[in-house]
Amino acid sequence: MRCGVLALQGDWAAHLAVLDRLGTAGLAVRSAADLAAVEALVLPGGESTAMLRLMEAERLDERIADRIDHGMPVLATCAGVILLARRCEPDQPSLDRLDVDVARNAFGRQVHSRVATVELAAALGPPPRLDGVFIRAPRILRAGPGVEVLGRLDGEPVLLRQGGILAATFHPELTGDLRVHRMLVDRGAHDGR
Ligand code: GLN
């Protein structure tokens, strides 16, 4: 199983380092050909508006949406969640593959970025919490009935799953806790069998 990381902008390199620690082959995805070479994909944090613009050249937005429709497992973090959301505030285009509405930068400015304890569902394995790094994170305003909440911060959903999509409004690539990435990799290995 080869796992891609969308590498147009943002903190994609940190995700490749995590995949390496998990012993999973990673690939920086910048083109349609790169995307065709991977079985799973990480949409990293960064600036969703910039990523949307950069995806246009090779129509990567449409291609990624199409791969998701055909079952490709995805881990979206922070800006990546905004890319997949049904709707976002302020309004901007999206791939519309995750049934959530989000508010961008809803936890305040860069100075309000922080590490906070996320309460985890049993599906992630022990311990039942992890340190979440929140950097100008989006807030989930609504999650549809098909969306399972796997992690909460102060009661609010911050880690979600819908089919093959895992979505974290925090940055699991910035701590040593590999469980969120492992969930993606396990899913990719399982689907590829
Ligand atoms: N503020 C960014 C956005 O709106 C997301 C921040 C992040 O990915 N760390 O796209």
Side-chain angles (χ1 to χ4, degrees), residues 6-15 44-47 50-51 54 79 173:
L6 185 67
L8 299 174
Q9 192 270 341
D11 82 330
W12 52 271
H15 287 280
E47 277 302 320
M51 278 190 241
L54 293 166
E173 74 284 9

Side-chain angles (χ1 to χ4, degrees), residues 165-180:
I165 299 174
L166 262 178
T169 61
F170 56 94
H171 288 264
E173 74 284 9
L174 297 182
T175 57
D177 197 318
L178 307 180
R179 285 180 286 169
V180 174

Side-chain angles (χ1 to χ4, degrees), residues 78-159:
C78 204
V81 179
I82 298 168
L83 293 179
L84 293 186
R86 168 140 309 156
R87 265 188 224 95
C88 102
E89 290 178 7
D91 191 39
Q92 68 182 28
S94 82
L95 277 61
D96 187 9
R97 288 302 182 277
L98 180 64
D99 188 16
V100 299
D101 299 341
V102 299
R104 292 179 63 203
N105 305 321
F107 292 100
R109 295 156 51 106
Q110 191 71 42
V111 290
H112 298 120
S113 296
R114 61 180 178 139
V115 180
T117 302
V118 174
E119 308 290 336
L120 290 180
L124 274 293
R129 62 193 70 82
L130 64 67
D131 287 336
V133 181
F134 290 84
I135 305 172
R136 303 195 73 212
R139 175 172 256 148
I140 307 290
L141 302 175
R142 181 197 64 85
V147 180
E148 184 186 0
V149 177
L150 295 180
R152 293 182 189 272
L153 169 66
D154 300 332
E156 285 191 37
V158 294
L159 178 62

Side-chain angles (χ1 to χ4, degrees), residues 30-31 42 50-51 57 60 72 84 91-92 100 133 147-148 161 167 169 172 183 185 187 189 193:
R30 299 193 177 89
S31 67
V42 177
M51 278 190 241
L60 277 177
M72 176 179 67
L84 293 186
D91 191 39
Q92 68 182 28
V100 299
V133 181
V147 180
E148 184 186 0
R161 179 164 65 180
T169 61
M183 200 173 228
V185 166
R187 175 99 189 196
R193 228 178 265 149

